[in-house]
């Protein structure tokens, strides 16, 4: 948020590879425009589904669609101090092999009556 961004040095870069909602896009954009920080590297943006399909803004199911957030995202993408990459770190040969191997081990454990990676209900 703006309060936390103000604590950063002007040479700092904000990097977010986790979830778009963790970074206040408006505060980040303002900081970039005002030279409060040096730049940003993002592979996630808040409410990305609208960016992927802008027609959603006009659908009846778009009760919570935020045009403001969508505009901020577009401005962040276009900002010369921002690098935005696709959020697909999982999409490497090594990562896919780990996913497949973990899934196979989970299936083997289940079949043998010793399930692994159990997610307990809260």
């Amino acid at each position: 948020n703006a309060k936390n961004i103000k604590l950063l040095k002007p040479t700092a870069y904000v990097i977010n590879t986790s979830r778009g909602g963790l970074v206040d896009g408006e505060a980040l954009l303002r900081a970039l425009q005002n030279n409060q920080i040096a730049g940003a590297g993002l592979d996630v943006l808040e409410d990305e589904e609208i960016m992927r399909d802008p027609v959603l803004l006009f659908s009846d199911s778009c009760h919570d669609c935020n045009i403001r957030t969508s505009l901020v995202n577009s401005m962040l993408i276009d900002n010369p101090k921002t690098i935005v990459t696709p959020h697909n770190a999982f999409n490497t040969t090594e990562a896919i092999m780990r996913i497949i191997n973990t899934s196979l081990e989970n299936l083997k454990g289940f079949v043998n009556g010793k399930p692994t990676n159990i997610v307990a209900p809260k």
Side-chain angles (χ1 to χ4, degrees):
N1 61 24
K3 180 181 171 186
N4 291 327
I5 289 175
K6 285 181 183 178
L7 299 174
L8 299 174
K9 294 179 182 181
T11 55
Y13 287 81
V14 171
I15 308 294
N16 186 10
T17 61
S18 179
R19 296 288 176 254
L22 292 178
V23 174
D24 179 342
E26 288 188 50
L28 178 60
L29 182 61
R30 221 174 287 114
L32 290 165
Q33 291 172 333
N34 296 331
N35 297 316
Q36 287 178 271
I37 60 172
L42 311 170
D43 80 343
V44 288
L45 296 165
E46 191 175 0
D47 293 333
E48 291 175 345
E49 58 276 359
I50 297 170
M51 300 287 297
R52 282 190 292 272
D53 188 7
V55 175
L56 285 174
L57 290 170
F58 305 106
S59 71
D60 291 336
S61 63
C62 189
H63 302 292
D64 297 326
C65 294
N66 191 331
I67 296 171
R68 184 182 187 111
T69 301
S70 186
L71 179 60
V72 167
N73 287 345
S74 292
M75 292 173 76
L76 282 170
I77 289 169
D78 290 340
N79 191 295
K81 297 179 187 175
T82 305
I83 295 174
V84 180
T85 61
H87 185 66
N88 68 351
F90 70 91
N91 201 13
T92 64
T93 302
E94 294 84 1
I96 291 172
M97 288 308 299
R98 279 195 304 273
I99 292 168
I100 291 170
N101 289 333
T102 300
S103 297
L104 287 172
E105 290 303 314
N106 288 340
L107 287 168
K108 287 178 189 175
F110 179 78
V111 169
N112 293 325
K114 297 177 184 177
T116 58
N117 297 317
I118 300 170
V119 179
K122 290 184 179 186

PDB file of all heavy atoms in Angstrom, residues 16-17 40-45 48 77 82-89:
ATOM      1  N   ASN A  16       6.699  -8.444  -7.649  1.00  0.00           N
ATOM      2  CA  ASN A  16       5.586  -9.277  -7.187  1.00  0.00           C
ATOM      3  C   ASN A  16       5.399 -10.444  -8.141  1.00  0.00           C
ATOM      4  O   ASN A  16       5.018 -10.273  -9.293  1.00  0.00           O
ATOM      5  CB  ASN A  16       4.285  -8.479  -7.085  1.00  0.00           C
ATOM      6  CG  ASN A  16       3.170  -9.306  -6.461  1.00  0.00           C
ATOM      7  OD1 ASN A  16       3.387 -10.393  -5.947  1.00  0.00           O
ATOM      8  ND2 ASN A  16       1.961  -8.779  -6.515  1.00  0.00           N
ATOM      9  N   THR A  17       5.677 -11.645  -7.632  1.00  0.00           N
ATOM     10  CA  THR A  17       5.463 -12.873  -8.400  1.00  0.00           C
ATOM     11  C   THR A  17       4.495 -13.785  -7.663  1.00  0.00           C
ATOM     12  O   THR A  17       4.407 -14.959  -7.964  1.00  0.00           O
ATOM     13  CB  THR A  17       6.798 -13.614  -8.632  1.00  0.00           C
ATOM     14  OG1 THR A  17       7.349 -13.970  -7.362  1.00  0.00           O
ATOM     15  CG2 THR A  17       7.771 -12.760  -9.412  1.00  0.00           C
ATOM     16  N   ALA A  40       9.236  -1.484 -11.232  1.00  0.00           N
ATOM     17  CA  ALA A  40       8.483  -2.635 -10.751  1.00  0.00           C
ATOM     18  C   ALA A  40       8.622  -3.786 -11.735  1.00  0.00           C
ATOM     19  O   ALA A  40       8.673  -3.575 -12.946  1.00  0.00           O
ATOM     20  CB  ALA A  40       7.002  -2.278 -10.569  1.00  0.00           C
ATOM     21  N   GLY A  41       8.696  -4.985 -11.187  1.00  0.00           N
ATOM     22  CA  GLY A  41       8.685  -6.212 -11.971  1.00  0.00           C
ATOM     23  C   GLY A  41       7.513  -7.051 -11.513  1.00  0.00           C
ATOM     24  O   GLY A  41       7.433  -7.440 -10.350  1.00  0.00           O
ATOM     25  N   LEU A  42       6.572  -7.289 -12.390  1.00  0.00           N
ATOM     26  CA  LEU A  42       5.330  -7.964 -12.008  1.00  0.00           C
ATOM     27  C   LEU A  42       5.037  -9.118 -12.958  1.00  0.00           C
ATOM     28  O   LEU A  42       5.200  -8.991 -14.164  1.00  0.00           O
ATOM     29  CB  LEU A  42       4.156  -6.972 -12.075  1.00  0.00           C
ATOM     30  CG  LEU A  42       4.345  -5.621 -11.392  1.00  0.00           C
ATOM     31  CD1 LEU A  42       3.212  -4.681 -11.763  1.00  0.00           C
ATOM     32  CD2 LEU A  42       4.431  -5.799  -9.888  1.00  0.00           C
ATOM     33  N   ASP A  43       4.612 -10.236 -12.390  1.00  0.00           N
ATOM     34  CA  ASP A  43       4.071 -11.282 -13.262  1.00  0.00           C
ATOM     35  C   ASP A  43       2.645 -11.608 -12.846  1.00  0.00           C
ATOM     36  O   ASP A  43       2.076 -12.589 -13.286  1.00  0.00           O
ATOM     37  CB  ASP A  43       4.982 -12.509 -13.333  1.00  0.00           C
ATOM     38  CG  ASP A  43       4.856 -13.453 -12.166  1.00  0.00           C
ATOM     39  OD1 ASP A  43       4.313 -13.061 -11.124  1.00  0.00           O
ATOM     40  OD2 ASP A  43       5.307 -14.603 -12.286  1.00  0.00           O
ATOM     41  N   VAL A  44       2.089 -10.754 -12.005  1.00  0.00           N
ATOM     42  CA  VAL A  44       0.684 -10.857 -11.596  1.00  0.00           C
ATOM     43  C   VAL A  44       0.129  -9.446 -11.451  1.00  0.00           C
ATOM     44  O   VAL A  44       0.846  -8.516 -11.108  1.00  0.00           O
ATOM     45  CB  VAL A  44       0.511 -11.625 -10.261  1.00  0.00           C
ATOM     46  CG1 VAL A  44       0.762 -13.093 -10.430  1.00  0.00           C
ATOM     47  CG2 VAL A  44       1.403 -11.043  -9.174  1.00  0.00           C
ATOM     48  N   LEU A  45      -1.146  -9.310 -11.726  1.00  0.00           N
ATOM     49  CA  LEU A  45      -1.850  -8.044 -11.552  1.00  0.00           C
ATOM     50  C   LEU A  45      -3.178  -8.332 -10.863  1.00  0.00           C
ATOM     51  O   LEU A  45      -3.720  -9.436 -10.961  1.00  0.00           O
ATOM     52  CB  LEU A  45      -2.107  -7.372 -12.900  1.00  0.00           C
ATOM     53  CG  LEU A  45      -0.869  -6.955 -13.688  1.00  0.00           C
ATOM     54  CD1 LEU A  45      -1.243  -6.644 -15.133  1.00  0.00           C
ATOM     55  CD2 LEU A  45      -0.195  -5.762 -13.045  1.00  0.00           C
ATOM     56  N   GLU A  48      -6.869  -9.900 -12.885  1.00  0.00           N
ATOM     57  CA  GLU A  48      -6.360 -10.125 -14.242  1.00  0.00           C
ATOM     58  C   GLU A  48      -7.407 -10.640 -15.221  1.00  0.00           C
ATOM     59  O   GLU A  48      -7.280 -10.445 -16.418  1.00  0.00           O
ATOM     60  CB  GLU A  48      -5.211 -11.134 -14.210  1.00  0.00           C
ATOM     61  CG  GLU A  48      -3.973 -10.615 -13.554  1.00  0.00           C
ATOM     62  CD  GLU A  48      -2.903 -11.684 -13.441  1.00  0.00           C
ATOM     63  OE1 GLU A  48      -3.216 -12.874 -13.601  1.00  0.00           O
ATOM     64  OE2 GLU A  48      -1.755 -11.314 -13.202  1.00  0.00           O
ATOM     65  N   ILE A  77       1.113  -1.661 -17.022  1.00  0.00           N
ATOM     66  CA  ILE A  77       1.710  -2.388 -18.148  1.00  0.00           C
ATOM     67  C   ILE A  77       2.403  -1.421 -19.100  1.00  0.00           C
ATOM     68  O   ILE A  77       3.493  -1.694 -19.596  1.00  0.00           O
ATOM     69  CB  ILE A  77       0.638  -3.214 -18.897  1.00  0.00           C
ATOM     70  CG1 ILE A  77       0.199  -4.386 -18.029  1.00  0.00           C
ATOM     71  CG2 ILE A  77       1.156  -3.705 -20.245  1.00  0.00           C
ATOM     72  CD1 ILE A  77      -1.035  -5.107 -18.541  1.00  0.00           C
ATOM     73  N   THR A  82       8.057  -0.263 -15.660  1.00  0.00           N
ATOM     74  CA  THR A  82       7.479  -1.537 -15.240  1.00  0.00           C
ATOM     75  C   THR A  82       7.756  -2.615 -16.282  1.00  0.00           C
ATOM     76  O   THR A  82       7.624  -2.382 -17.482  1.00  0.00           O
ATOM     77  CB  THR A  82       5.945  -1.398 -15.075  1.00  0.00           C
ATOM     78  OG1 THR A  82       5.671  -0.333 -14.176  1.00  0.00           O
ATOM     79  CG2 THR A  82       5.341  -2.667 -14.532  1.00  0.00           C
ATOM     80  N   ILE A  83       8.118  -3.777 -15.792  1.00  0.00           N
ATOM     81  CA  ILE A  83       8.224  -4.962 -16.640  1.00  0.00           C
ATOM     82  C   ILE A  83       7.160  -5.935 -16.161  1.00  0.00           C
ATOM     83  O   ILE A  83       7.120  -6.283 -14.978  1.00  0.00           O
ATOM     84  CB  ILE A  83       9.621  -5.603 -16.547  1.00  0.00           C
ATOM     85  CG1 ILE A  83      10.676  -4.655 -17.120  1.00  0.00           C
ATOM     86  CG2 ILE A  83       9.645  -6.946 -17.274  1.00  0.00           C
ATOM     87  CD1 ILE A  83      12.089  -5.134 -16.941  1.00  0.00           C
ATOM     88  N   VAL A  84       6.288  -6.342 -17.065  1.00  0.00           N
ATOM     89  CA  VAL A  84       5.230  -7.298 -16.728  1.00  0.00           C
ATOM     90  C   VAL A  84       5.457  -8.545 -17.574  1.00  0.00           C
ATOM     91  O   VAL A  84       5.574  -8.467 -18.791  1.00  0.00           O
ATOM     92  CB  VAL A  84       3.826  -6.711 -16.988  1.00  0.00           C
ATOM     93  CG1 VAL A  84       2.745  -7.723 -16.630  1.00  0.00           C
ATOM     94  CG2 VAL A  84       3.625  -5.421 -16.198  1.00  0.00           C
ATOM     95  N   THR A  85       5.540  -9.678 -16.899  1.00  0.00           N
ATOM     96  CA  THR A  85       5.752 -10.954 -17.577  1.00  0.00           C
ATOM     97  C   THR A  85       4.591 -11.883 -17.266  1.00  0.00           C
ATOM     98  O   THR A  85       3.864 -11.674 -16.295  1.00  0.00           O
ATOM     99  CB  THR A  85       7.071 -11.615 -17.115  1.00  0.00           C
ATOM    100  OG1 THR A  85       6.988 -11.861 -15.709  1.00  0.00           O
ATOM    101  CG2 THR A  85       8.266 -10.731 -17.422  1.00  0.00           C
ATOM    102  N   PRO A  86       4.397 -12.920 -18.065  1.00  0.00           N
ATOM    103  CA  PRO A  86       3.317 -13.873 -17.782  1.00  0.00           C
ATOM    104  C   PRO A  86       3.593 -14.656 -16.504  1.00  0.00           C
ATOM    105  O   PRO A  86       4.736 -14.977 -16.206  1.00  0.00           O
ATOM    106  CB  PRO A  86       3.307 -14.808 -18.985  1.00  0.00           C
ATOM    107  CG  PRO A  86       4.365 -14.357 -19.901  1.00  0.00           C
ATOM    108  CD  PRO A  86       5.118 -13.237 -19.283  1.00  0.00           C
ATOM    109  N   HIS A  87       2.548 -14.920 -15.760  1.00  0.00           N
ATOM    110  CA  HIS A  87       2.647 -15.678 -14.510  1.00  0.00           C
ATOM    111  C   HIS A  87       2.608 -17.167 -14.848  1.00  0.00           C
ATOM    112  O   HIS A  87       1.588 -17.822 -14.742  1.00  0.00           O
ATOM    113  CB  HIS A  87       1.478 -15.301 -13.595  1.00  0.00           C
ATOM    114  CG  HIS A  87       1.520 -15.925 -12.244  1.00  0.00           C
ATOM    115  ND1 HIS A  87       2.489 -15.634 -11.328  1.00  0.00           N
ATOM    116  CD2 HIS A  87       0.700 -16.811 -11.647  1.00  0.00           C
ATOM    117  CE1 HIS A  87       2.265 -16.319 -10.221  1.00  0.00           C
ATOM    118  NE2 HIS A  87       1.182 -17.045 -10.398  1.00  0.00           N
ATOM    119  N   ASN A  88       3.732 -17.695 -15.288  1.00  0.00           N
ATOM    120  CA  ASN A  88       3.737 -19.107 -15.684  1.00  0.00           C
ATOM    121  C   ASN A  88       5.047 -19.805 -15.328  1.00  0.00           C
ATOM    122  O   ASN A  88       5.553 -20.617 -16.090  1.00  0.00           O
ATOM    123  CB  ASN A  88       3.415 -19.256 -17.169  1.00  0.00           C
ATOM    124  CG  ASN A  88       4.502 -18.705 -18.062  1.00  0.00           C
ATOM    125  OD1 ASN A  88       5.429 -18.066 -17.601  1.00  0.00           O
ATOM    126  ND2 ASN A  88       4.390 -18.957 -19.345  1.00  0.00           N
ATOM    127  N   ALA A  89       5.575 -19.500 -14.151  1.00  0.00           N
ATOM    128  CA  ALA A  89       6.815 -20.138 -13.718  1.00  0.00           C
ATOM    129  C   ALA A  89       6.654 -21.660 -13.634  1.00  0.00           C
ATOM    130  O   ALA A  89       7.630 -22.397 -13.756  1.00  0.00           O
ATOM    131  CB  ALA A  89       7.254 -19.581 -12.371  1.00  0.00           C
TER     132      ALA A  89
END
